[in-house]
Amino acid sequence: MMYSEKVMDHFMNPRNVGEIENADGIGEVGNVKCGDIMKIYLKIEENIIKDVKFKTFGCGSAIATSSMATEMIIGKSIEEALKLTNKAVAEALDGLPPVKMHCSVLAEQAVKSAIIDYAKKNNIHIDGLEDIKIDDDHDHHHDIEEE
């Protein structure tokens, strides 16, 4: 299986690993069946994501996509972070092998689930949140075309 240099770099030297104490939002996604579990912590001030940390238990692609996703949302507004797609994460890593695309889906969902947590904790309404479905029971060969 061929991995891009960027995937290897983020796997060997992942950015933003760890946890944030008293995080404003925490998202955990994944399932035990495929073994990839991601937890993302957000520090949010005045609608801007000031800090992101992650802990991922999973394969190299899961770690690389978590790392890249955190890099892509730091400094962004909540609305911008919600627009993060798994395709954007995969593209930023110069592509992922098709069987590993589910890792980028997990990374996207972990970010969204942390934002949902933040909205719930603070009782705020964020446009578009109600349309997000977090699918914990994904499997390895779902349709790669899905958004």
Side-chain angles (χ1 to χ4, degrees), residues 3-147:
Y3 289 106
S4 72
E5 277 176 39
K6 278 194 187 161
V7 171
M8 290 309 294
D9 179 37
H10 277 268
F11 168 56
M12 306 299 270
N13 313 292
R15 299 7 164 217
N16 312 310
V17 175
E19 48 192 291
I20 297 174
E21 272 192 39
N22 311 317
D24 298 308
I26 300 174
E28 185 170 1
V29 297
N31 75 9
V32 188
K33 273 196 304 233
C34 73
D36 295 316
I37 297 168
M38 285 181 195
K39 200 163 185 180
I40 283 193
Y41 302 81
L42 300 178
K43 187 94 201 127
I44 297 171
E45 285 167 36
E46 293 174 5
N47 208 45
I48 300 295
I49 296 172
K50 292 290 189 188
D51 195 14
V52 190
K53 293 272 185 279
F54 79 90
K55 280 180 141 175
T56 290
F57 179 84
C59 66
S61 299
I63 290 163
T65 52
S66 308
S67 171
M68 180 55 91
T70 59
E71 287 282 271
M72 290 170 81
I73 63 169
I74 285 182
K76 299 266 168 62
S77 70
I78 290 172
E79 287 74 18
E80 286 175 304
L82 274 177
K83 293 195 180 103
L84 180 77
T85 64
N86 72 296
K87 288 193 173 132
V89 174
E91 278 164 20
L93 287 166
D94 293 334
L96 282 170
V99 297
K100 293 296 180 184
M101 276 306 280
H102 75 277
C103 295
S104 61
V105 173
L106 264 188
E108 174 193 330
Q109 292 193 331
V111 168
K112 288 177 174 170
S113 128
I115 293 171
I116 290 169
D117 182 52
Y118 167 74
K120 278 189 190 145
K121 281 182 178 149
N122 293 279
N123 204 10
I124 50 179
H125 174 80
I126 298 169
D127 278 337
L129 267 194
E130 56 283 339
D131 305 330
I132 295 169
K133 303 210 174 357
I134 302 298
D135 170 23
D136 261 355
D137 201 35
H138 73 287
D139 61 52
H140 283 259
H141 24 249
H142 54 91
D143 184 358
I144 288 162
E145 292 308 306
E146 72 187 11
E147 285 297 337

